[in-house]
Amino acid sequence: MVEQHRNTVSIRRIREACRTCSLNDLCLPVALDAPDVDALDRIVQRRRPLARGEVLFNTGDRFDAIYAVRTGALKSMTIKEDGEEQITTFHLPGELLGLDAISFREHPSTASALDTSSLCEIPFAELEDLAERIPGLNRQLLRIMSKEIFNDQEMLHAMARRSAEERLAILLLSLSHRFARRGLSATRFRLPMARHELSNYLGLAPETMSRLFRRFVENGWISVSGKELSLEDVDALRALTGSPSAIMQKDIGSEKHH
Amino acid sequence: MVEQHRNTVSIRRIREACRTCSLNDLCLPVALDAPDVDALDRIVQRRRPLARGEVLFNTGDRFDAIYAVRTGALKSMTIKEDGEEQITTFHLPGELLGLDAISFREHPSTASALDTSSLCEIPFAELEDLAERIPGLNRQLLRIMSKEIFNDQEMLHAMARRSAEERLAILLLSLSHRFARRGLSATRFRLPMARHELSNYLGLAPETMSRLFRRFVENGWISVSGKELSLEDVDALRALTGSPSAIMQKDIGSEKHH
DNA sequence: CGGAGTCTTGACCTCTATCAAGTTTTGTGG
DNA sequence: CCACAAAACTTGATAGAGGTCAAGACTCCG
């Protein structure tokens, strides 16, 4: 009974902590105990919000924390010597930034806000210490990173030898899925990034992106008004990707317990 | 003195263990203790070698171990519904396979041998248990995964909006770097994969790959005889990539201790 | 209202995929 | 070790997707 009660409390506390800081990935679905969540919660720091365009960290900056997006959105990019930027990831609410910096202790990319964004900062040294004491947290960290690897490879797969149309469809569905995961609408959302950022990410010219949007609208697959996007025919988009269900459908925690 | 001695022994043991199983990534450069290395060594299992073309694991297989390549080489690929395969990674000696499977407990890709290959199998459950007891190992695991994320994003960056020439140059330099890291020549090596596998990986048609090789040879950048490759003008190749030094130059362990 | 940035549209041209033969290499069984 | 089939690779011709250049239309703010 006590055990039962304790469990319930634990779960409620976890959800609460997750809500306050978009830490879903980090807390769920592992069975972190209430005290564990407290401990985790204690090292997490709220930061002042970032304004649109503001930089969170620069390439080469020392790595000492990972970040969780609470609201808004960010992009990670590398800068080629010729000054061109290449966007490598978009970070939506509930997602983590900085995982690629752990091994070199230095950020290999620059992260900036696409929009006014609030974040939580998780000092990595403390997280590591905590992970040593909480096996569940440790495992969850590994899982998150594994998922990141999986996603990147999925994206790589998605880019290679695919037409511009296919790429855009894949990206739109990925965004849809990631918003839905946060409890937002899967079919109507506001694109946090500019067209040229979409095109940059997908390795296309901005002009191509513009033509693609027109074609998608003409085909009745989407409707657009500025940055407001509505997916009108998800099936058509899925058909384009060639993978009715595979892309980005899986979630951490969706696997069965054993 | 005793401490000193112990330390020396420890380092020698680590190197030894690494040599036997290509576990550099996992053991170095963290200060794993001799008993720690023993423990790690104990859970590592030698497998019978894989013949060329043989499958190590299939998409959807249950995940219960990660693997280290000792000799030979493997490829990871996903299969599209239309039956086409898309290669996502090549695995050279000293590199790890299966990290993308941790979060779903199921392999998202199929791995097969490009060549006769010998591997070490590291049961993941045991590795996790061990990592809980050995903080250094745990950190090193996180680092390796972080590096994997970094590499994938680097590759993504490399693919987006780059010409076929640039892609090939990037890949050749990456292979060169990875061989050099293992103590092999950075300029003369045997490509473990077929031309069409290279082209598949880079998202190009096999014909394009063939023409690229011819052009690279004509330009005096490389020389080729079957699968034997020699980089004749590394600077020219680097110039192509647009990043004189950034790509794949960093190594786990290159960062300073603190 | 104006001006900078962003997005769209059109014309053109380059790169690379595709198709279609060849040619060489590889692997296997006699 | 050779012969022969099956892959793998090369080469050429052609076409199409998408990049580039150039100009014009929105849109967002101050």
Side-chain angles (χ1 to χ4, degrees), chain A:
Chain A
M1 264 301 123
V2 166
E3 189 55 33
Q4 174 64 38
H5 173 67
R6 192 167 173 285
N7 235 329
T8 316
V9 168
S10 166
I11 287 166
R12 203 170 57 231
R13 302 279 322 243
I14 288 170
R15 295 202 183 282
E16 183 187 327
C18 292
R19 205 178 50 247
T20 63
C21 207
S22 298
L23 280 176
N24 270 2
D25 279 351
L26 213 48
C27 306
L28 292 172
V30 283
L32 286 194
D33 240 336
D36 292 348
V37 175
D38 282 343
L40 180 57
D41 204 51
R42 215 168 295 123
I43 68 166
V44 169
Q45 293 162 19
R46 277 73 177 170
R47 298 182 101 251
R48 78 173 166 69
L50 249 49
R52 179 188 163 80
E54 209 173 334
V55 167
L56 178 61
F57 51 75
N58 255 300
T59 304
D61 280 1
R62 210 183 88 202
F63 164 75
D64 30 40
I66 59 178
Y67 301 88
V69 184
R70 301 172 69 189
T71 63
L74 294 92
K75 63 178 173 182
S76 288
M77 58 198 175
T78 56
I79 317 271
K80 297 194 234 174
E81 330 53 54
D82 58 16
E84 288 257 323
E85 72 180 48
Q86 170 62 48
I87 298 173
T88 51
T89 334
F90 295 119
H91 306 274
L92 304 188
E95 299 176 344
L96 296 174
L97 282 90
L99 297 176
D100 52 354
I102 296 175
S103 88
F104 304 129
R105 311 252 159 220
E106 186 177 291
H107 288 284
S109 57
T110 297
S112 75
L114 293 166
D115 225 335
T116 309
S117 307
S118 64
L119 301 156
C120 286
E121 182 175 336
I122 309 166
F124 188 68
E126 296 176 41
L127 182 61
E128 257 188 332
D129 286 347
L130 200 60
E132 270 171 34
R133 287 198 303 276
I134 311 173
L137 179 59
N138 193 15
R139 285 172 196 218
Q140 192 58 7
L141 262 179
L142 288 179
R143 281 206 195 170
I144 290 170
M145 302 199 57
S146 163
K147 180 153 190 294
E148 190 81 15
I149 292 172
F150 170 80
N151 283 345
D152 286 347
Q153 292 189 352
E154 193 81 2
M155 195 62 213
L156 205 60
H157 178 188
M159 300 283 298
R161 216 123 135 57
R162 283 193 131 96
S163 71
E165 262 190 5
E166 292 173 311
R167 293 184 196 191
L168 180 55
I170 289 170
L171 179 54
L172 292 182
L173 290 175
S174 159
L175 292 174
S176 159
H177 180 245
R178 288 150 75 189
F179 280 122
R181 187 160 178 271
R182 289 264 90 193
L184 302 173
S185 165
T187 52
R188 304 183 67 88
F189 47 86
R190 187 173 173 284
L191 291 171
M193 65 295 279
R195 298 280 191 282
H196 74 266
E197 288 167 326
L198 289 173
S199 69
N200 178 304
Y201 179 66
L202 292 179
L204 300 170
E207 295 92 331
T208 304
M209 185 52 54
S210 181
R211 286 185 251 267
L212 279 176
F213 264 79
R214 181 157 53 81
R215 214 183 312 164
F216 275 37
V217 170
E218 282 170 5
N219 293 348
W221 297 338
I222 64 175
S223 60
V224 187
S225 158
K227 293 192 165 177
E228 291 300 330
L229 183 78
S230 169
L231 307 185
E232 304 291 348
D233 189 346
V234 173
D235 290 341
L237 293 175
R238 270 207 233 286
L240 264 186
T241 68
S243 4
S245 59
I247 305 269
M248 307 268 161
Q249 300 297 27
K250 294 180 173 182
D251 242 313
I252 286 186
S254 64
E255 81 283 359
K256 290 162 205 72
H257 292 237
H258 55 285

Side-chain angles (χ1 to χ4, degrees), chain B:
Chain B
M1 264 301 120
V2 167
E3 190 54 34
Q4 174 64 38
H5 174 68
R6 192 166 171 286
N7 234 329
T8 316
V9 168
S10 167
I11 287 166
R12 202 171 59 229
R13 300 279 323 244
I14 289 171
R15 295 202 181 282
E16 184 187 327
C18 291
R19 205 178 50 248
T20 62
C21 207
S22 298
L23 279 177
N24 271 2
D25 279 349
L26 212 49
C27 305
L28 291 173
V30 285
L32 285 195
D33 240 337
D36 293 347
V37 174
D38 281 345
L40 179 58
D41 205 52
R42 216 167 295 122
I43 68 166
V44 169
Q45 293 161 20
R46 277 74 178 168
R47 300 182 101 254
R48 78 175 165 70
L50 248 50
R52 179 188 163 79
E54 209 172 335
V55 167
L56 177 61
F57 51 75
N58 255 301
T59 303
D61 280 2
R62 211 184 84 203
F63 164 74
D64 31 38
I66 59 179
Y67 301 89
V69 184
R70 301 172 68 188
T71 62
L74 293 92
K75 62 177 173 183
S76 287
M77 58 199 173
T78 56
I79 316 272
K80 297 195 234 173
E81 330 55 52
D82 58 13
E84 288 257 322
E85 72 180 49
Q86 170 63 48
I87 298 173
T88 52
T89 334
F90 294 118
H91 306 273
L92 304 188
E95 298 175 345
L96 295 174
L97 282 90
L99 297 176
D100 53 355
I102 295 174
S103 88
F104 303 129
R105 312 252 160 221
E106 185 177 291
H107 288 285
S109 57
T110 298
S112 75
L114 293 166
D115 225 335
T116 309
S117 306
S118 64
L119 301 157
C120 286
E121 182 175 337
I122 309 166
F124 187 67
E126 296 176 45
L127 182 61
E128 257 188 333
D129 287 346
L130 200 60
E132 270 170 34
R133 287 197 303 277
I134 309 174
L137 179 59
N138 192 16
R139 285 170 195 222
Q140 192 57 8
L141 262 178
L142 288 179
R143 282 206 193 169
I144 290 168
M145 302 199 55
S146 162
K147 180 154 190 294
E148 191 82 13
I149 292 172
F150 170 80
N151 283 345
D152 286 346
Q153 292 189 351
E154 194 80 3
M155 196 61 214
L156 205 59
H157 179 188
M159 300 282 299
R161 215 121 135 58
R162 283 192 131 97
S163 71
E165 263 190 4
E166 292 173 311
R167 293 185 196 191
L168 180 55
I170 289 169
L171 179 55
L172 293 183
L173 289 175
S174 159
L175 292 174
S176 159
H177 180 245
R178 288 150 74 189
F179 279 122
R181 188 161 177 270
R182 288 265 91 192
L184 302 174
S185 166
T187 52
R188 304 183 67 88
F189 46 86
R190 188 173 171 282
L191 291 171
M193 66 295 280
R195 297 282 191 282
H196 74 267
E197 288 166 326
L198 289 173
S199 68
N200 178 304
Y201 178 67
L202 293 179
L204 300 169
E207 294 93 330
T208 303
M209 185 53 52
S210 180
R211 285 184 251 269
L212 279 176
F213 264 79
R214 180 157 54 82
R215 214 182 314 164
F216 275 37
V217 170
E218 282 169 6
N219 293 348
W221 297 338
I222 63 174
S223 59
V224 187
S225 160
K227 294 192 166 178
E228 292 299 330
L229 182 78
S230 168
L231 306 185
E232 304 291 348
D233 189 346
V234 172
D235 290 339
L237 294 174
R238 269 206 232 288
L240 265 187
T241 68
S243 5
S245 58
I247 306 269
M248 308 266 161
Q249 300 296 28
K250 295 177 171 183
D251 240 314
I252 287 185
S254 63
E255 82 283 357
K256 292 165 204 72
H257 291 238
H258 55 285

